[in-house]
Amino acid sequence: MAALLLSLLSMFLAATSARIRDSKPFNRTELSEAGVARDIFILAGQSNMAGRGGVAGGKWDGKVPPECRPDPSILRLSAGLGWEEAHEPLHADIDVGKTCGVGPGMAFANAVRASGWGVGVVGLVPCAVGGTKISQWAKGTSLYAELVSRATESVSGGGTIRAILWYQGESDTVSREDAEAYKGNMEKLIMDLRTDLNNPFLLIIQVALASGEGKYIEMVREAQLGINLPNVECEDAKGLNLEADKLHLTTMSQVHLGQELARAFLITRHSSQPSVLEQAVAHPHNSKHFFVLFLVSTIGYFVIW
């Protein structure tokens, strides 16, 4: 009896996993009020995520490359928590008190949609704040609370958070103590965010530094490249062109980075779907997932019996 049930379970999981693996990564099951799927991405970190492309002398040149053009199907969550058509500078009302320019977000969103994988509205949630250390993003801080609050609000009307794009660390290169603590702080931040956003498999795509404010750039880069948590990817920005301040990426470097982040997302999304059982554990109230858990529990009972 137990052998038969185990055989049936194996066949069911294999068939279901195949359907998930072969399906497109985006779906229409979670809808916005407008009736269009919304695929949501959190943009967090410090100034190079907020965008300083085209900024010089405290002024932005206003130049928007075609890769960063607005699109009615690309939205941003404003500081007032309303969805609006996204345009550069994405962080103008978030990273306040500073001059924002071009960042990687719009190039990323346009590249995702151009790939043919996106079937709905892409929602960008800007959260980055310039000049911040990773310790300022730890759970219990105002920046952490704001990120979680904005991320939670972004899915209140439907949609799914697909990934967090993280570019930060320049401010942690000044002190050796900060640089040495970076890896542990980043790993804890990832685990805390996954817990508080109720998504244990949430994809994190971080950027390894291209520059820094101090002399411990390589130490922070090694920490970023050395993180080995599941579903955490790292794009290396080293070698990208910098503005005259030798700290911030140029507009075209931001375009390149955004496209590379999109490539990393699409590759990861295609190749590493959570297993059926993982999805069942993460979302037990879903009827299909409940059935999987029920089946596993039933077989476990008969095997033990």
Coordinates of all heavy atoms in Angstrom, one line a residue, residues 27-103:
N27 N 2.6 35.1 -14.6 CA 1.3 34.5 -14.8 C 0.2 35.6 -14.6 O 0.5 36.7 -14.1 CB 1.1 33.3 -13.9 CG 1.2 33.7 -12.5 OD1 0.3 34.4 -11.9 ND2 2.3 33.3 -11.8
R28 N -1.0 35.2 -14.9 CA -2.1 36.2 -14.8 C -3.0 35.9 -13.6 O -4.1 36.4 -13.5 CB -2.9 36.2 -16.1 CG -2.2 36.6 -17.3 CD -3.1 36.5 -18.5 NE -2.4 36.8 -19.7 CZ -2.2 38.0 -20.2 NH1 -2.8 39.0 -19.6 NH2 -1.6 38.2 -21.3
T29 N -2.4 35.1 -12.6 CA -3.3 34.7 -11.5 C -3.5 35.8 -10.5 O -4.4 35.8 -9.7 CB -2.7 33.5 -10.9 OG1 -1.4 33.7 -10.4 CG2 -2.7 32.3 -11.8
E30 N -2.5 36.8 -10.4 CA -2.6 37.9 -9.5 C -2.8 39.1 -10.3 O -2.0 39.5 -11.1 CB -1.4 37.9 -8.6 CG -1.2 36.7 -7.7 CD 0.0 36.8 -6.9 OE1 1.1 36.5 -7.5 OE2 -0.1 37.1 -5.7
L31 N -3.9 39.7 -10.1 CA -4.3 40.8 -11.0 C -4.4 42.2 -10.3 O -4.8 42.2 -9.1 CB -5.7 40.5 -11.7 CG -5.8 39.2 -12.5 CD1 -7.2 39.1 -13.0 CD2 -4.8 39.2 -13.6
S32 N -4.1 43.2 -11.0 CA -4.3 44.6 -10.4 C -5.7 44.9 -10.6 O -6.5 44.2 -11.3 CB -3.4 45.6 -11.2 OG -3.9 45.7 -12.5
E33 N -6.1 46.0 -10.1 CA -7.5 46.5 -10.2 C -7.9 46.7 -11.6 O -9.0 46.7 -12.0 CB -7.7 47.7 -9.3 CG -7.6 47.5 -7.8 CD -7.9 48.7 -7.0 OE1 -8.0 49.8 -7.6 OE2 -7.9 48.6 -5.8
A34 N -6.8 47.0 -12.4 CA -7.1 47.3 -13.9 C -7.2 46.0 -14.6 O -7.5 46.0 -15.8 CB -6.0 48.1 -14.4
G35 N -7.0 44.9 -14.0 CA -7.2 43.6 -14.7 C -5.9 43.2 -15.4 O -6.0 42.3 -16.3
V36 N -4.8 43.7 -15.0 CA -3.5 43.4 -15.7 C -2.5 42.9 -14.7 O -2.4 43.5 -13.6 CB -2.9 44.6 -16.4 CG1 -1.6 44.3 -17.1 CG2 -3.9 45.2 -17.4
A37 N -1.8 41.8 -15.0 CA -0.8 41.3 -14.0 C 0.3 42.3 -13.8 O 0.7 43.0 -14.7 CB -0.2 40.0 -14.6
R38 N 0.7 42.4 -12.6 CA 1.7 43.4 -12.2 C 2.9 42.6 -11.6 O 2.7 42.0 -10.6 CB 1.2 44.4 -11.2 CG 2.2 45.6 -11.0 CD 1.6 46.5 -10.0 NE 0.5 47.3 -10.5 CZ -0.6 47.5 -9.8 NH1 -0.7 47.1 -8.6 NH2 -1.6 48.2 -10.4
D39 N 4.0 42.7 -12.2 CA 5.3 42.1 -11.8 C 6.1 43.1 -11.1 O 6.6 44.1 -11.8 CB 6.0 41.4 -12.9 CG 5.0 40.4 -13.6 OD1 4.6 39.5 -12.9 OD2 4.8 40.6 -14.8
I40 N 6.4 43.0 -9.8 CA 6.9 44.0 -9.0 C 8.4 43.8 -8.6 O 8.7 42.7 -8.3 CB 6.1 44.2 -7.7 CG1 4.6 44.7 -8.2 CG2 6.7 45.2 -6.8 CD1 3.6 44.6 -7.1
F41 N 9.2 44.9 -8.7 CA 10.6 44.8 -8.3 C 10.9 45.9 -7.4 O 10.6 47.1 -7.6 CB 11.4 44.9 -9.6 CG 11.2 43.8 -10.6 CD1 10.2 44.0 -11.6 CD2 11.9 42.7 -10.6 CE1 9.9 43.0 -12.5 CE2 11.6 41.7 -11.5 CZ 10.7 41.8 -12.5
I42 N 11.6 45.6 -6.3 CA 12.0 46.5 -5.3 C 13.4 47.0 -5.6 O 14.3 46.2 -5.9 CB 12.0 45.9 -3.9 CG1 10.7 45.1 -3.6 CG2 12.3 47.0 -2.8 CD1 9.5 46.0 -3.7
L43 N 13.6 48.3 -5.7 CA 14.9 48.9 -6.0 C 15.4 49.5 -4.7 O 14.9 50.5 -4.2 CB 14.8 50.0 -7.1 CG 14.0 49.7 -8.3 CD1 13.9 50.9 -9.3 CD2 14.6 48.5 -9.0
A44 N 16.5 49.0 -4.2 CA 17.0 49.4 -2.8 C 18.5 49.5 -2.8 O 19.2 48.9 -3.6 CB 16.5 48.5 -1.8
G45 N 19.0 50.3 -1.8 CA 20.4 50.5 -1.7 C 20.8 51.9 -1.5 O 20.1 52.6 -0.8
Q46 N 21.8 52.4 -2.1 CA 22.2 53.8 -2.0 C 22.3 54.5 -3.3 O 21.5 54.2 -4.2 CB 23.4 54.0 -1.1 CG 24.7 53.2 -1.5 CD 25.8 53.5 -0.5 OE1 26.2 52.5 0.2 NE2 26.3 54.7 -0.4
S47 N 23.2 55.5 -3.4 CA 23.0 56.5 -4.5 C 23.1 55.9 -5.9 O 22.5 56.4 -6.9 CB 24.1 57.6 -4.4 OG 25.4 57.0 -4.3
N48 N 23.9 54.8 -6.1 CA 24.0 54.3 -7.5 C 22.8 53.5 -7.9 O 22.5 53.3 -9.1 CB 25.3 53.4 -7.6 CG 26.5 54.2 -8.1 OD1 26.4 55.0 -9.0 ND2 27.6 53.9 -7.5
M49 N 22.0 53.1 -6.9 CA 20.7 52.5 -7.3 C 19.7 53.6 -7.5 O 18.8 53.6 -8.4 CB 20.2 51.5 -6.2 CG 18.8 51.0 -6.4 SD 18.6 50.1 -8.0 CE 19.4 48.5 -7.6
A50 N 19.7 54.7 -6.6 CA 18.8 55.8 -6.7 C 19.1 56.5 -8.1 O 18.2 57.0 -8.7 CB 19.0 56.8 -5.6
G51 N 20.3 56.5 -8.5 CA 20.7 57.1 -9.8 C 21.3 58.4 -9.7 O 20.7 59.4 -9.2
R52 N 22.6 58.5 -10.2 CA 23.3 59.8 -10.3 C 23.8 60.0 -11.8 O 24.6 60.8 -12.0 CB 24.4 59.9 -9.3 CG 24.0 59.8 -7.9 CD 23.2 61.0 -7.4 NE 23.0 61.0 -6.0 CZ 21.9 60.5 -5.4 NH1 20.9 59.9 -6.1 NH2 21.8 60.5 -4.1
G53 N 23.3 59.2 -12.7 CA 23.7 59.3 -14.1 C 23.3 60.6 -14.7 O 22.2 61.0 -14.6
G54 N 24.3 61.3 -15.2 CA 24.0 62.6 -15.8 C 24.0 63.8 -14.8 O 23.7 64.9 -15.2
V55 N 24.4 63.5 -13.5 CA 24.4 64.6 -12.5 C 25.8 65.1 -12.4 O 26.8 64.4 -12.2 CB 23.9 64.0 -11.2 CG1 24.1 65.1 -10.1 CG2 22.5 63.5 -11.3
A56 N 25.9 66.4 -12.4 CA 27.2 67.1 -12.2 C 26.9 68.5 -11.6 O 26.0 69.2 -12.0 CB 27.9 67.3 -13.6
G57 N 27.7 68.8 -10.6 CA 27.6 70.1 -10.0 C 26.2 70.3 -9.4 O 25.7 71.4 -9.3
G58 N 25.6 69.2 -8.9 CA 24.3 69.3 -8.2 C 23.1 69.4 -9.2 O 22.0 69.7 -8.8
K59 N 23.4 69.2 -10.5 CA 22.3 69.4 -11.5 C 22.3 68.2 -12.4 O 23.3 67.6 -12.8 CB 22.5 70.6 -12.3 CG 22.3 71.9 -11.5 CD 22.4 73.1 -12.4 CE 22.3 74.4 -11.6 NZ 22.4 75.6 -12.5
W60 N 21.1 67.7 -12.8 CA 20.9 66.6 -13.7 C 20.8 67.2 -15.1 O 20.0 68.2 -15.3 CB 19.7 65.8 -13.4 CG 19.4 64.7 -14.3 CD1 20.3 63.8 -14.8 CD2 18.2 64.3 -14.9 NE1 19.7 62.9 -15.7 CE2 18.4 63.2 -15.7 CE3 16.8 64.8 -14.7 CZ2 17.3 62.6 -16.4 CZ3 15.8 64.2 -15.4 CH2 16.1 63.1 -16.3
D61 N 21.4 66.6 -16.1 CA 21.4 67.1 -17.4 C 20.1 66.9 -18.2 O 19.9 67.4 -19.3 CB 22.6 66.6 -18.3 CG 22.6 65.1 -18.4 OD1 21.6 64.4 -18.2 OD2 23.7 64.5 -18.8
G62 N 19.2 66.0 -17.6 CA 17.9 65.8 -18.2 C 17.9 64.8 -19.4 O 16.9 64.6 -20.0
K63 N 19.1 64.2 -19.7 CA 19.1 63.4 -20.9 C 18.7 61.9 -20.5 O 19.2 61.3 -19.6 CB 20.6 63.3 -21.4 CG 21.0 64.7 -21.9 CD 22.5 64.6 -22.4 CE 22.9 66.0 -23.0 NZ 24.4 66.0 -23.4
V64 N 17.7 61.5 -21.2 CA 17.2 60.1 -21.0 C 17.4 59.3 -22.2 O 16.8 59.5 -23.3 CB 15.6 60.2 -20.7 CG1 15.1 58.8 -20.5 CG2 15.4 61.0 -19.5
P65 N 18.3 58.3 -22.1 CA 18.5 57.4 -23.3 C 17.3 56.6 -23.7 O 16.4 56.4 -22.8 CB 19.7 56.5 -22.8 CG 19.6 56.6 -21.3 CD 19.1 57.9 -21.0
P66 N 17.2 56.1 -24.9 CA 16.0 55.4 -25.3 C 15.8 54.1 -24.5 O 14.7 53.7 -24.4 CB 16.4 55.0 -26.8 CG 17.8 55.3 -27.0 CD 18.2 56.3 -26.0
E67 N 16.9 53.5 -24.0 CA 16.7 52.3 -23.2 C 16.0 52.6 -21.9 O 15.5 51.7 -21.2 CB 18.1 51.7 -22.9 CG 18.9 51.2 -24.1 CD 19.7 52.3 -24.7 OE1 19.6 53.5 -24.3 OE2 20.6 52.0 -25.5
C68 N 15.9 53.9 -21.5 CA 15.2 54.3 -20.3 C 13.9 55.0 -20.5 O 13.4 55.7 -19.6 CB 16.1 55.1 -19.4 SG 17.7 54.4 -19.0
R69 N 13.4 54.9 -21.7 CA 12.2 55.6 -22.1 C 11.0 55.2 -21.2 O 10.9 54.1 -20.8 CB 11.9 55.4 -23.6 CG 11.5 54.0 -23.9 CD 11.4 53.7 -25.4 NE 11.0 52.3 -25.6 CZ 11.8 51.3 -25.5 NH1 13.1 51.4 -25.2 NH2 11.4 50.0 -25.8
P70 N 10.0 56.1 -21.0 CA 8.8 55.7 -20.3 C 8.0 54.8 -21.1 O 8.1 54.7 -22.4 CB 8.1 57.1 -20.1 CG 9.1 58.1 -20.3 CD 10.1 57.5 -21.3
D71 N 7.2 54.0 -20.5 CA 6.3 53.0 -21.1 C 5.0 52.9 -20.3 O 5.1 52.8 -19.1 CB 7.0 51.7 -21.3 CG 6.2 50.6 -22.0 OD1 5.0 50.5 -21.7 OD2 6.7 50.0 -22.9
P72 N 3.8 53.0 -20.9 CA 2.6 52.9 -20.1 C 2.5 51.6 -19.3 O 1.8 51.6 -18.3 CB 1.5 53.0 -21.1 CG 2.1 53.7 -22.3 CD 3.5 53.3 -22.3
S73 N 3.3 50.6 -19.6 CA 3.2 49.4 -18.9 C 4.3 49.2 -17.9 O 4.5 48.1 -17.3 CB 3.3 48.2 -19.9 OG 2.2 48.1 -20.7
I74 N 5.0 50.3 -17.6 CA 6.0 50.4 -16.5 C 5.6 51.4 -15.5 O 5.5 52.6 -15.9 CB 7.4 50.6 -17.1 CG1 7.9 49.6 -18.1 CG2 8.4 50.7 -15.9 CD1 9.2 49.9 -18.7
L75 N 5.3 51.0 -14.3 CA 4.8 51.9 -13.3 C 5.8 52.1 -12.2 O 6.7 51.2 -12.0 CB 3.5 51.4 -12.7 CG 2.3 51.2 -13.6 CD1 1.1 50.7 -12.9 CD2 2.0 52.4 -14.5
R76 N 5.7 53.1 -11.4 CA 6.5 53.2 -10.2 C 5.6 53.6 -9.0 O 4.5 54.2 -9.2 CB 7.5 54.3 -10.3 CG 6.9 55.7 -10.3 CD 8.0 56.8 -10.5 NE 8.8 57.0 -9.3 CZ 8.4 57.8 -8.3 NH1 7.3 58.5 -8.3 NH2 9.2 57.9 -7.2
L77 N 5.9 53.1 -7.8 CA 5.2 53.4 -6.6 C 5.8 54.7 -6.1 O 6.9 54.8 -5.6 CB 5.3 52.3 -5.6 CG 4.3 52.4 -4.4 CD1 2.9 52.2 -4.8 CD2 4.7 51.4 -3.3
S78 N 5.0 55.8 -6.1 CA 5.4 57.1 -5.6 C 5.6 57.1 -4.1 O 5.2 56.2 -3.4 CB 4.4 58.2 -6.0 OG 3.2 58.0 -5.2
A79 N 6.2 58.2 -3.6 CA 6.3 58.4 -2.2 C 5.0 58.4 -1.5 O 4.9 58.1 -0.3 CB 7.1 59.7 -1.9
G80 N 3.9 58.9 -2.2 CA 2.6 58.9 -1.7 C 1.9 57.5 -1.8 O 0.7 57.5 -1.5
L81 N 2.6 56.5 -2.2 CA 2.1 55.1 -2.3 C 1.0 54.9 -3.4 O 0.1 54.1 -3.3 CB 1.5 54.6 -0.9 CG 2.6 54.7 0.2 CD1 1.9 54.2 1.5 CD2 3.8 53.8 -0.1
G82 N 1.1 55.7 -4.4 CA 0.2 55.6 -5.6 C 1.0 55.1 -6.8 O 2.2 55.5 -7.0
W83 N 0.4 54.3 -7.6 CA 1.0 53.9 -8.9 C 0.9 55.0 -9.9 O -0.2 55.5 -10.1 CB 0.4 52.6 -9.4 CG 0.8 51.3 -8.6 CD1 -0.1 50.6 -7.8 CD2 2.0 50.7 -8.5 NE1 0.6 49.6 -7.2 CE2 1.9 49.6 -7.6 CE3 3.3 50.9 -9.1 CZ2 3.0 48.7 -7.3 CZ3 4.3 50.1 -8.8 CH2 4.2 49.0 -7.9
E84 N 2.0 55.2 -10.6 CA 2.0 56.2 -11.7 C 3.0 55.7 -12.8 O 3.8 54.9 -12.5 CB 2.4 57.6 -11.2 CG 3.8 57.6 -10.6 CD 4.2 58.9 -9.9 OE1 3.2 59.7 -9.5 OE2 5.4 59.2 -9.8
E85 N 2.9 56.3 -14.0 CA 3.8 55.9 -15.0 C 5.2 56.3 -14.6 O 5.5 57.4 -14.2 CB 3.4 56.6 -16.3 CG 4.3 56.1 -17.5 CD 3.8 56.6 -18.9 OE1 2.6 56.8 -19.0 OE2 4.7 56.8 -19.7
A86 N 6.1 55.3 -14.8 CA 7.5 55.5 -14.3 C 8.3 56.3 -15.3 O 8.1 56.2 -16.5 CB 8.2 54.2 -14.1
H87 N 9.1 57.2 -14.8 CA 10.1 57.9 -15.7 C 11.3 58.4 -14.9 O 11.2 58.4 -13.6 CB 9.3 59.2 -16.3 CG 8.8 60.1 -15.2 ND1 9.6 61.0 -14.6 CD2 7.6 60.2 -14.6 CE1 8.9 61.7 -13.7 NE2 7.7 61.2 -13.7
E88 N 12.3 58.7 -15.5 CA 13.5 59.2 -14.8 C 13.3 60.6 -14.3 O 12.6 61.4 -15.0 CB 14.7 59.2 -15.8 CG 15.1 57.9 -16.4 CD 15.8 56.9 -15.3 OE1 15.8 57.3 -14.1 OE2 16.2 55.8 -15.8
P89 N 13.9 61.0 -13.2 CA 14.6 60.1 -12.2 C 13.6 59.3 -11.4 O 12.7 59.9 -10.8 CB 15.4 61.1 -11.4 CG 15.2 62.4 -12.0 CD 13.9 62.4 -12.8
L90 N 13.7 58.0 -11.3 CA 12.8 57.2 -10.5 C 12.7 57.5 -9.1 O 11.7 57.4 -8.4 CB 13.2 55.7 -10.7 CG 12.8 55.0 -11.9 CD1 13.4 53.6 -11.9 CD2 11.3 54.9 -12.1
H91 N 13.9 58.0 -8.5 CA 13.9 58.2 -7.0 C 13.8 59.7 -6.6 O 14.1 60.0 -5.5 CB 15.3 57.7 -6.5 CG 15.3 56.2 -6.3 ND1 15.4 55.3 -7.3 CD2 15.2 55.4 -5.2 CE1 15.4 54.0 -6.9 NE2 15.3 54.1 -5.5
A92 N 13.3 60.5 -7.5 CA 13.2 61.9 -7.2 C 12.5 62.3 -6.0 O 12.9 63.2 -5.2 CB 12.6 62.6 -8.4
D93 N 11.4 61.5 -5.6 CA 10.7 61.8 -4.4 C 11.0 60.9 -3.3 O 10.3 60.9 -2.2 CB 9.2 61.9 -4.7 CG 8.6 60.5 -5.2 OD1 9.5 59.7 -5.6 OD2 7.4 60.3 -5.2
I94 N 12.0 60.0 -3.5 CA 12.4 59.1 -2.4 C 13.7 59.4 -1.8 O 13.9 59.5 -0.6 CB 12.5 57.6 -3.0 CG1 11.1 57.2 -3.6 CG2 12.9 56.6 -2.0 CD1 10.0 57.1 -2.7
D95 N 14.7 59.6 -2.7 CA 16.0 60.1 -2.2 C 16.1 61.6 -2.2 O 16.8 62.2 -3.0 CB 17.1 59.5 -3.1 CG 18.5 59.6 -2.6 OD1 18.7 59.9 -1.4 OD2 19.5 59.4 -3.3
V96 N 15.3 62.1 -1.3 CA 15.1 63.6 -1.3 C 16.3 64.3 -0.7 O 17.1 63.7 0.1 CB 13.8 63.9 -0.5 CG1 12.6 63.4 -1.2 CG2 13.9 63.4 1.0
G97 N 16.4 65.6 -1.0 CA 17.6 66.4 -0.5 C 18.8 66.2 -1.4 O 19.8 66.8 -1.1
K98 N 18.7 65.3 -2.4 CA 19.9 65.1 -3.3 C 19.4 65.2 -4.7 O 18.2 65.1 -5.0 CB 20.5 63.7 -3.0 CG 21.0 63.5 -1.6 CD 20.8 62.1 -1.2 CE 21.1 62.0 0.3 NZ 20.5 60.8 0.9
T99 N 20.3 65.4 -5.6 CA 19.9 65.4 -7.1 C 20.0 64.1 -7.7 O 21.0 63.4 -7.7 CB 20.8 66.4 -7.8 OG1 20.8 67.7 -7.2 CG2 20.4 66.5 -9.3
C100 N 18.8 63.6 -8.1 CA 18.8 62.2 -8.7 C 18.9 62.3 -10.2 O 18.4 63.3 -10.8 CB 17.5 61.5 -8.3 SG 17.4 61.1 -6.6
G101 N 19.5 61.4 -10.8 CA 19.5 61.3 -12.3 C 19.1 59.9 -12.8 O 18.2 59.3 -12.2
V102 N 19.8 59.4 -13.7 CA 19.5 58.1 -14.3 C 20.1 57.0 -13.4 O 21.2 57.0 -13.1 CB 20.0 58.0 -15.8 CG1 19.8 56.5 -16.3 CG2 19.3 59.0 -16.6
G103 N 19.2 56.0 -13.1 CA 19.7 54.8 -12.4 C 19.4 53.6 -13.3 O 19.1 53.7 -14.5

